[in-house]
Amino acid sequence: MTSLAPHDAPPRSSTAPLLLVGAGHAHLNLIRQRERLPMPRVMLLDPGGFWYSGMAGGVLGGQHCPAADRIDPMALARRHGVEGLRGRLAELDPARREARLDDGRRLAVSAVSFNLGSTVNTPPAHAEGPGVWPVKPIPRLVALRHRLARDFAAGSCPRLLVVGGGASGVEAACQLRALADRHGVDPTIRLLTRSSELLPGAPPGAVRWLRRRLARRRITVETGLELVAHLPGGIMATPVGQPAGDDNARFVAAEHVVHAVGLAPPPVIERLGLPTIPGRGLAVTDSLQSPAAPWAFAAGDCAAIIDHSLPRLGVYGVRQAPVLRDNLIAWWRGEALRPYRPQPRALSILDLGRGQALAIRGGAWWGGRLAWYWKRRLDERFLAGYR
């Protein structure tokens, strides 16, 4: 457990708010439990909306309407007595304990908590190349769905390429097929991954089961290839571990490329004046607290726990939520903080469309309609708690 020195706690007369930056799983939980927080003021910096990543694939495939996947955090904040502030964080001044917004406004804070999720780093698009669609932020998937629906309705059948063989890439490829099936078209769909196999670390039986499903859906899988650049009419890929060059370069034709690899913390993390772990996010201790500023906390994908490298899965943000809440309360009161202990195995359920899903937890797995029903129930229960 982490003990705090007296000067680390806020002055008892402080009227500066606890500022919540971002509205991920952990902050939605904090907002809903506002009455338990002892701070006189809690403020949410308007994030523009919360998109639930667990149903993003279903939105792409036409299974859910976009509105079903979205929560208005500001409405939730109003219901629970949390102040809302329109604007975006530009940077943080740790010495002044002050946040600066992108419109120049400055805001003194008693404490700040970051729950900003992650983004996808993509190679530069080519002016004459394919459409480039990262899986995050989720509104980009919504835009891709609308674009493809128009193309399909007009009789066009563009070639589709998904880059990334992890959970997000597999879901995207399957949901693209589901969307095409809804429109009665049969586009070419390829899934390209730099790994030697799909879902690295997954049970071999689950991977074999998944491979059979992808083959039945006419989704071509190519492993050991890395996207190097977008080009007119497609992309250039090279075998992993080999230098890029004409001898081993391979052209893959595509009109649209979905990027489901390269998850990274939002760029604003680098402008906070706080320690970061490159590629992972804001450095925090096991109490979810910055080692350089005890009044700064972080959770979810944007947080990099110093002693643990966690997958970017929403379940970790959900499990961190009560620890974040308790530690903010303890910090305010000058009490000892408790550590967050990541669970050794996390449940992951991939929505493969057509009422099929693949559930994996450690070495256990099961696929089919029952897994899909279970996922749907978990998703609906989560969203219902915030509506």
Side-chain angles (χ1 to χ4, degrees):
M1 303 184 87
T2 305
S3 298
L4 294 179
H7 67 272
D8 289 332
R12 294 278 75 80
S13 62
S14 174
T15 59
L18 160 63
L19 182 65
L20 307 180
V21 183
H25 298 83
H27 279 180
L28 292 179
N29 182 273
L30 274 180
I31 292 169
R32 193 170 61 176
Q33 300 192 52
R34 166 65 180 102
E35 72 280 358
R36 298 187 60 179
L37 299 175
M39 299 82 172
R41 298 175 63 196
V42 178
M43 180 178 290
L44 173 67
L45 188 60
D46 181 16
F50 169 81
W51 292 84
Y52 176 51
S53 59
M55 286 171 48
V59 171
L60 174 61
Q63 178 179 312
H64 310 296
C65 68
D69 192 41
R70 193 172 184 273
I71 294 173
D72 180 1
M74 295 297 273
L76 183 72
R78 287 192 296 271
R79 289 200 300 273
H80 291 279
V82 172
E83 302 173 47
L85 177 65
R86 299 284 181 184
R88 287 187 174 277
L89 182 69
E91 61 183 10
L92 190 69
D93 185 341
R96 294 175 177 268
R97 205 180 290 197
E98 186 177 75
R100 185 176 70 80
L101 307 188
D102 58 1
D103 60 6
R105 285 180 292 172
R106 293 181 177 273
L107 175 69
V109 299
S110 61
V112 63
S113 179
F114 298 95
N115 192 204
L116 291 162
S118 55
T119 60
V120 175
N121 287 331
T122 61
H126 193 285
E128 300 175 5
V132 177
W133 307 91
V135 295
K136 287 189 176 185
I138 293 172
R140 292 296 292 157
L141 290 182
V142 177
L144 174 59
R145 168 181 162 174
H146 293 323
R147 169 63 185 274
L148 291 178
R150 291 195 301 269
D151 289 348
F152 295 156
S156 175
C157 199
R159 292 162 294 190
L160 308 175
L161 174 66
V162 177
V163 179
S168 296
V170 169
E171 275 199 346
C174 290
Q175 295 291 353
L176 288 172
R177 178 60 72 195
L179 181 65
D181 289 346
R182 288 176 184 274
H183 289 268
V185 297
D186 187 19
T188 297
I189 302 178
R190 292 178 178 274
L191 191 156
L192 182 150
T193 175
R194 70 187 315 275
S195 299
S196 59
E197 189 51 274
L198 297 173
L199 303 181
V207 176
R208 289 193 296 269
W209 182 92
L210 177 62
R211 281 274 197 171
R212 291 193 295 269
R213 295 303 182 280
L214 295 178
R216 290 175 189 171
R217 298 187 187 187
R218 305 173 308 286
I219 297 172
T220 302
V221 177
E222 300 187 62
T223 60
L225 289 175
E226 186 167 19
L227 185 149
V228 176
H230 297 108
L231 301 172
I235 62 103
M236 177 191 294
T238 59
V240 173
Q242 298 185 23
D246 294 339
D247 292 340
N248 57 17
R250 178 176 171 189
F251 178 78
V252 180
E255 277 71 53
H256 296 285
V257 180
V258 179
H259 285 268
V261 68
L263 288 179
V268 71
I269 292 294
E270 301 296 331
R271 302 194 298 272
L272 301 179
L274 299 173
T276 63
I277 298 179
R280 288 181 52 201
L282 186 67
V284 294
T285 64
D286 61 3
S287 61
L288 306 181
Q289 186 180 47
S290 171
W295 48 273
F297 294 77
D301 282 1
C302 73
I305 300 176
I306 294 170
D307 296 326
H308 298 281
S309 182
L310 301 177
R312 287 190 164 96
L313 296 175
V315 64
Y316 290 104
V318 172
R319 296 291 183 89
Q320 288 169 3
V323 178
L324 177 65
R325 177 202 63 213
D326 291 350
N327 284 351
L328 280 166
I329 295 171
W331 170 81
W332 180 267
R333 293 172 174 167
E335 299 171 352
L337 278 63
R338 71 182 178 104
Y340 163 69
R341 300 296 187 214
Q343 65 269 38
R345 296 183 302 274
L347 174 66
S348 175
I349 308 180
L350 284 65
D351 187 343
L352 307 179
R354 293 182 180 174
Q356 297 285 307
L358 174 60
I360 300 173
R361 186 175 186 270
W365 69 275
W366 55 103
R369 186 166 292 274
L370 182 60
W372 182 80
Y373 276 122
W374 187 19
K375 176 173 174 54
R376 186 177 70 173
R377 180 173 180 177
L378 291 173
D379 291 340
E380 290 175 348
R381 186 171 65 183
F382 173 82
L383 290 171
Y386 296 100
R387 287 182 171 147

